[in-house]
Structure formats: C-alpha cells, structure tokens
Amino acid sequence: MAKKTSTAGPLVIDYTTQGVNLLPASARAAEELRILRSKLFLGMVVFAAILALVCGYSVIAETQAKHAVDLASDESDRLQGELERYADISALKSDITQAETAVRAGMGTEITWVDLIAKIEAALPAEGTITSFSATGTTPMDGNGFTATSPLATQGIGSIEFTMQLSSLPDTAAWLEALNGIPGFMDAVFGSATLTTGDDGGPSYYTVSSSVVINVEALSRAYLEDAS
C-alpha cells in the first residue's frame, strides 16, 4: 500500500508572537484583581461625580424655589399693605355708589311739572289761559299704585287736572288730539264747560275743565344712569 504524501508547505514558527507566561497562577489572579479594583474605583468616582451633580442641582433648584416663594410672600405683603392704605378710599367709593343708587331710586319718578304745564299752555286754543290745575304723581314707594282719574284711562305714573278760560268752546276732538300728541301725555279727557257772562257788560267766557294721564315719557330721567 502506497503511503500518502503531504502536500502542505513547510511549517513556519513566528517566534515574535510566541511567549511563555512564567508567572504563577496566584500572581496572575492578583493582577486581575488589581485591574478589577481599578475599574470599580473608577466607576465609584464617576458615580460620586454624578451624585454630586444631582445633589448640586437639587440644592440650586431648592434655593431658586425658596427665592420664588420669598418673592411671592413679599409681593403678597406689599399688596396687603396697599389694600390697607386704600381701605378708606374703597369705603368712600362704596358710600358714593350707595348714595347714587339711593338718588336714582328716590328721584327716579321725578317729573318737571312746570314744563308739562307750559306744554299744555302752548297747545291751548287762541286767547286761552289756564286758571288752575292740580297734579298727582307717584313716589318710589307707590310703585304702580297710581290710579287714573278716568276709569277708561290707562294707568300711568300721574295725572294733571286743569281748568282753562276760553273765549269760545274748542273743537273737543282736536283739543284732545292735541293733548295726546304731547310727549308724556295720554288718555286726555274733556271734563266740563261753563259759560260765564262778563260783569258790567264785559265779554263772556267759557270755563273748561280737562285732564290728562302722564306716562313714563314725562319722567325727567335726570338721575338715571342711561340719561343722555
């Protein structure tokens, strides 16, 4: 049987990469332990540094938070001082508001009677004069307690009954229409007419009575908030 011949090349040994560790096993273990301790120490140093940074950040954050609380407390004390400083002004403002409210409530039903009588005189027929009148109005306590003089009239806030002297009887329809056309007036009523003969041959004249109901348009509104 023929022998097989190897076709591999010659064996080459590189002596630069070969070595023999002559240290005993205990020395190698000690060296490995030293390296491990070095790594553990380095890890502890890094951990301590991180822990120090975290603690430092916590201290800074706590300091900033305390500073913010102190600032808020100081601002609160300042505002409280301002409130105490202007306490009298606030009380005065409240008193003024109450007084204004009382004036509006007390004077809310104010009617300028002189102006209304002047409007009636302006609507009188020619050569007519008002000889007497009586006016009735409501007060803040009355509410809707006013009752119209005529049972057919609409309830308003007041009324005017007046007597006028005329040289001739007026056109009743035209006269009532003229009264109702005055702002603040409604439900005018023709009362009575009496002929009076003049003394010593003087001219005769008619004494005519009439009345009119006053509505909210007659209010002066001088003390109302929305008065223009």
Side-chain angles (χ1 to χ4, degrees):
M1 183 176 180
K3 294 182 178 180
K4 294 183 179 179
T5 58
S6 175
T7 59
L11 179 62
V12 178
I13 299 175
D14 185 358
Y15 294 97
T16 61
T17 61
Q18 300 296 321
V20 178
N21 190 349
L22 301 178
L23 292 175
S26 59
R28 290 197 303 271
E31 179 66 18
E32 293 175 356
L33 181 60
R34 184 185 65 79
I35 295 173
L36 178 60
R37 286 178 177 176
S38 298
K39 292 181 180 180
L40 291 175
F41 178 76
L42 180 60
M44 291 180 64
V45 170
V46 173
F47 177 75
I50 295 175
L51 183 62
L53 289 175
V54 172
C55 291
Y57 177 78
S58 299
V59 171
I60 294 174
E62 181 181 1
T63 302
Q64 292 177 343
K66 186 177 182 301
H67 181 64
V69 170
D70 292 340
L71 289 178
S73 178
D74 293 341
E75 181 65 13
S76 178
D77 293 340
R78 186 187 69 81
L79 293 177
Q80 184 63 33
E82 292 291 330
L83 288 177
E84 294 176 357
R85 178 182 176 185
Y86 294 107
D88 294 340
I89 296 178
S90 299
L92 178 60
K93 183 178 180 181
S94 177
D95 292 341
I96 292 175
T97 301
Q98 291 180 0
E100 291 176 345
T101 301
V103 169
R104 286 193 296 271
M107 303 300 294
T109 57
E110 183 191 42
I111 297 173
T112 52
W113 298 106
V114 174
D115 293 342
L116 296 184
I117 297 301
K119 291 178 180 179
I120 293 176
E121 288 180 332
L124 286 177
E127 301 180 359
T129 58
I130 293 180
T131 57
S132 66
F133 71 90
S134 63
T136 303
T138 59
T139 68
M141 287 69 74
D142 293 333
N144 294 325
F146 172 78
T147 302
T149 56
S150 171
L152 300 179
T154 305
Q155 184 168 315
I157 62 171
S159 69
I160 298 177
E161 297 181 20
F162 56 95
T163 302
M164 50 190 173
Q165 183 175 309
L166 304 173
S167 59
S168 61
L169 287 176
D171 182 340
T172 304
W175 167 240
L176 297 181
E177 183 179 356
L179 284 179
N180 289 328
I182 299 175
F185 288 170
M186 63 182 184
D187 295 333
V189 176
F190 186 89
S192 63
T194 303
L195 176 62
T196 301
T197 303
D199 297 334
D200 300 329
S204 300
Y205 60 89
Y206 290 91
T207 302
V208 180
S209 64
S210 187
S211 65
V212 66
V213 177
I214 302 171
N215 58 37
V216 293
E217 293 185 16
L219 293 176
S220 69
R221 307 182 68 85
Y223 299 92
L224 301 183
E225 290 180 331
D226 59 348
S228 57

